[in-house]
Amino acid sequence: SPACQCMTFVEGGIFMRSCARRWMNDSLNLYLQAKSAKMSKSSDHNTRLLLSPGKGRARSYGSTHAAVNASVSTISSSSLGDDAEGGRVWIMACFSLIACLSALLTGMTVGYSSATLIELKSVFLEGDATHGFLDTSTYASLFGSFGALGAALGAPCAWPVSEWFGRKPALMLGGVPGVIGWLMITYAHYVPIESGFLAILLVGRILTGFQAGWSVFCISVYIAEVATSGLKGLFGACNQLFVTIGVFLTLGLGALANSNNMETFHYFHISLVAVGIIVISELLLLLICETPRWLYAHGRASEGRKNLKLLRGPNANVTKEEEAIREALERQGKLSLGELFLQFKQRTVFHPFILVLMVMFFQQFSGINAVVFYAASIFKEAGVGDPSLLSAMSIGGAQLVATLIAVILVDKLGRKILLVVSSATMCLSTGVLGIEFLITDTICGGVTGNGTTSHHALCHHNIGWLAILATIGVIVGFSLAWGPIPWLLMSELLP
């Protein structure tokens, strides 16, 4: 009968859901067992490096080493949950991925200048009035750099808001400047005055960058407080993965906007796509919970325990995790500002802090933003046929694939090896890129191949392909390690 068929369908759906959860449970168990085995081999040496020498070394090392082993041994039970359906890893994964949706906008902000500068240099407003002021390198540079300026302002502003109002409200508030910024970029297209067009465009660019910096901070904090210790690295890498997806999406839309066959899709339509993504992200953020740590810190212990049970499973034993959160908050509350600075005298605090700080410094000063911001312009100067399409396919695709490879290899090869390989690849590629432009601009007068008037032998060969390969090499090198790994090290090294 129809009723029986309906019941059979529902039972089949429940069975498939149970199988999916069990598969995720088994897969993560294998992942954590491999991680535990690897940590048991290398944690002895690494822990000694981070601890202070002298008398207290043996005692500090013993307790820290035991804590590391204990945390790994309890991951498979506490992190996966003890409920009958295989734990609540799927909830942690869903909440982390929903939070990472904001990173899509970070990627769109990063890739927007590269995707749109070619069209913006020959903007047509209503009435066929051409504004060519963006042909100058100054305005093009301002348009690219103002996004980074906004991001530098957004991250520090997000910290007090997330402390006062909570991690979830902070994530949602980040969408406000994002929507305003992207709508301003769209509205600028209809402003007939050149100065007004440029002003609105740059202010919108700052606001979108502000949202990008805000989101990077809030996502990292949310995942660190929601995920268990064994899964922070895995979920944290999703932040960079979503950034690369956003870059790839934007470059693809930019290629569509710059296509000769598309007369109805332009640079400001990409802004409307970004607004749509923000709206979807805000609606999904309503489904996630506040972090238990923030609730405990603000005297809402009952809600904190409820959310901890939601994340770990209704039958999971969360008593130890509750005690750890309370002890950490108690120690943090007792520390005065002076005592907090005194903590940095300890090697166990100072050494990891400096390591993480330097890794983040080198990530930002690696030159990756300059390459991504102006990838289409680099390809155009290299003399390729369709620079927007090529940059979308090569840069966006290479970055996405390399980040996926990094997520797979980061626990197999280790962080340090990938960072070394990544640094060597970026160094070589950046050098080749600089040499190619040096030869083209200085020796060949800006033209190589058949159109050159130089008598130098190098100038009679089209060496633009070197710039393309070098640019792809920089992107691949960065995405293999310097993109995702610094965010992992923050949660793994800092006490």
Side-chain angles (χ1 to χ4, degrees), residues 190-231:
Y190 300 99
V191 176
I193 304 173
E194 290 184 2
S195 58
F197 170 78
L198 181 63
I200 294 174
L201 196 69
L202 293 182
V203 171
R205 183 79 173 139
I206 290 177
L207 289 175
T208 57
F210 187 91
Q211 188 264 340
W214 181 292
S215 298
V216 166
F217 173 83
C218 293
I219 293 169
S220 301
V221 173
Y222 186 84
I223 291 177
E225 295 186 358
V226 165
T228 54
S229 57
L231 297 174

Side-chain angles (χ1 to χ4, degrees), residues 180-195:
I180 296 174
W182 289 112
L183 288 178
M184 287 184 71
I185 292 175
T186 304
Y187 175 70
H189 176 75
Y190 300 99
V191 176
I193 304 173
E194 290 184 2
S195 58

Side-chain angles (χ1 to χ4, degrees), residues 418-430:
L418 282 179
L419 284 172
V420 171
V421 173
S422 176
S423 300
T425 304
M426 291 188 71
C427 182
L428 178 63
S429 301
T430 306

Side-chain angles (χ1 to χ4, degrees), residues 21 23-36 39 68 71-82 86-97 100 219-239 310-313 321 407 410-411 415 484 487-492:
R21 288 183 180 177
W23 174 81
M24 181 180 289
N25 184 23
D26 294 340
S27 300
L28 284 167
N29 266 322
L30 291 173
Y31 162 77
L32 293 168
Q33 287 170 9
K35 186 173 182 178
S36 175
M39 287 179 65
V68 170
S71 65
V72 175
S73 64
T74 56
I75 284 171
S76 59
S77 59
S78 63
S79 67
L80 297 181
D82 298 329
R88 291 297 180 90
V89 175
W90 62 277
I91 285 188
M92 286 188 286
C94 288
F95 286 1
S96 298
L97 292 177
C100 285
I219 293 169
S220 301
V221 173
Y222 186 84
I223 291 177
E225 295 186 358
V226 165
T228 54
S229 57
L231 297 174
K232 286 179 183 178
L234 184 64
F235 293 156
C238 294
N239 190 355
L310 173 67
L311 294 167
R312 307 296 183 254
E321 191 169 355
V407 172
V410 69
D411 283 320
R415 281 65 164 146
W487 305 106
L488 307 187
L489 293 180
M490 288 180 63
S491 63
E492 292 178 345

